[in-house]
Amino acid sequence: MRFELATVPGTAERPNEDWASLALPASGQGGSLVVLDGVTPPRGGDGCVHGVPWFTSHLGGALLELSGSRRDMPLAEALALSIRRTADAHRDSCDLSHVRTPQATVVAVRWNGESVEHLVLSDSTLLLEAPDGVVHAVLDDRLDRIPREVLRSLSATDALRNRDGGFFTAAADPAVAARAVTGTTPRADVRAVVALTDGASRWTDLFAEGSWADLMELLRKEGPNGLVGRVRALEAADARRGGETRWKTHDDATAVYAELQAPSDPPLPGS
């Protein structure tokens, strides 16, 4: 099995608000991965004395632990409990009712010998590659359905945050876990998985340098660091031309690549 992970901050002036980790059980059977993209609050605060990196590390650590230790618990239930645990850790010191209370997008994947279970909440991306090379993108596209001119307004965006008709992120309300995109795929139908925050998925969904299958092949050949390096070069070139309308020129970028094939499987192309 092969696992690679890279996470790079958008700028040196701000801490990386992404969080990513993998866990493999001592038995060697199965595993889990979790990737979070912390939501950078606009100026004006978020009601929390800790900040987004504190939140993503607590939420990510809880979710990874539960996904491995409670394999009988569906990922949506594990996310709900992780949100509750994290909220309990700072509800006495912070205003969790604040609309911009620390929050994050979520990708979680858990696999064993029989199945691959997944969860996606908000605009991070999960790719599932089949043995024949077909790549399926699991996306929560609710944020993409909101017109860009609406998202340019902070007040309008806040009015849609974790609301019906808007979009959902993991914040302080455990009930949001039920809004995640979830599913299960037979283990034999998945040979590799990729989790990307939107700072890394830009190679495909913003700059259109290739399809999701092309991105998967790029990761196989150059690894997550190679992908992030290419994204940074595209961002720099785009900024020199005047650029797309984006929240940031460079965003925190995280990519996790995991090959799940058994030793008896045929080798993956390029591996």
Side-chain angles (χ1 to χ4, degrees):
M1 302 178 82
R2 171 187 170 193
F3 305 97
E4 292 189 46
L5 182 158
T7 182
V8 180
T11 69
E13 289 73 33
R14 291 187 60 88
N16 191 341
E17 295 169 334
D18 288 357
W19 188 94
S21 191
L22 291 141
L24 302 177
S27 66
Q29 300 298 313
S32 304
L33 68 84
V34 173
V35 172
L36 307 182
D37 183 353
V39 178
T40 303
R43 292 180 180 179
D46 56 13
C48 180
V49 301
H50 300 99
V52 176
W54 179 95
F55 174 79
T56 54
S57 64
H58 279 69
L59 179 63
L63 182 54
L64 188 69
E65 185 272 320
L66 285 170
S67 67
S69 65
R70 291 296 307 275
R71 301 192 70 84
D72 59 319
M73 180 183 288
L75 286 178
E77 188 176 340
L79 176 59
L81 182 53
S82 300
I83 292 172
R84 183 176 298 111
R85 286 183 178 179
T86 304
D88 288 345
H90 69 140
R91 69 173 68 254
D92 291 339
S93 58
C94 305
D95 177 12
L96 303 190
S97 68
H98 197 296
V99 69
R100 298 172 191 157
T101 189
Q103 51 204 271
T105 75
V106 183
V107 175
V109 184
R110 178 170 59 191
W111 62 93
N112 57 28
E114 289 73 46
S115 64
V116 178
E117 182 184 1
H118 68 259
L119 177 150
V120 177
L121 184 66
S122 199
D123 61 347
S124 289
T125 298
L126 171 67
L127 304 179
L128 303 175
E129 185 183 41
D132 62 2
V134 173
V135 175
H136 172 59
V138 181
L139 305 170
D140 175 358
D141 66 353
R142 281 169 285 205
L143 189 59
D144 292 333
R145 299 178 206 165
I146 300 171
R148 179 171 289 184
E149 57 269 22
V150 174
L151 295 176
R152 290 195 185 104
S153 166
L154 295 179
S155 60
T157 302
D158 284 346
L160 294 170
R161 196 181 299 278
N162 288 323
R163 298 286 189 273
D164 286 325
F167 61 98
F168 296 90
T169 56
D173 181 6
V176 77
R179 305 287 190 157
V181 177
T182 60
T184 302
T185 307
R187 172 66 185 77
D189 294 341
V190 180
R191 71 178 182 185
V193 302
V194 166
L196 306 162
T197 62
D198 64 344
S201 65
R202 287 179 169 189
W203 191 84
T204 289
D205 58 23
L206 179 62
F207 294 114
E209 287 293 298
S211 66
W212 293 121
D214 295 330
L215 189 151
M216 177 74 75
E217 186 61 21
L218 171 61
L219 282 166
R220 179 171 295 120
K221 291 180 177 178
E222 300 184 17
N225 278 312
L227 170 64
V228 174
R230 286 176 176 262
V231 169
R232 290 290 185 258
L234 290 166
E235 290 168 335
D238 188 59
R240 289 192 294 271
R241 292 191 299 267
E244 295 279 346
T245 301
R246 297 193 297 271
W247 179 257
K248 316 166 191 174
T249 299
H250 303 294
D251 197 1
D252 299 338
T254 298
V256 178
Y257 175 78
E259 292 177 359
L260 308 184
Q261 88 275 18
S264 59
D265 288 343
L268 293 168
S271 62

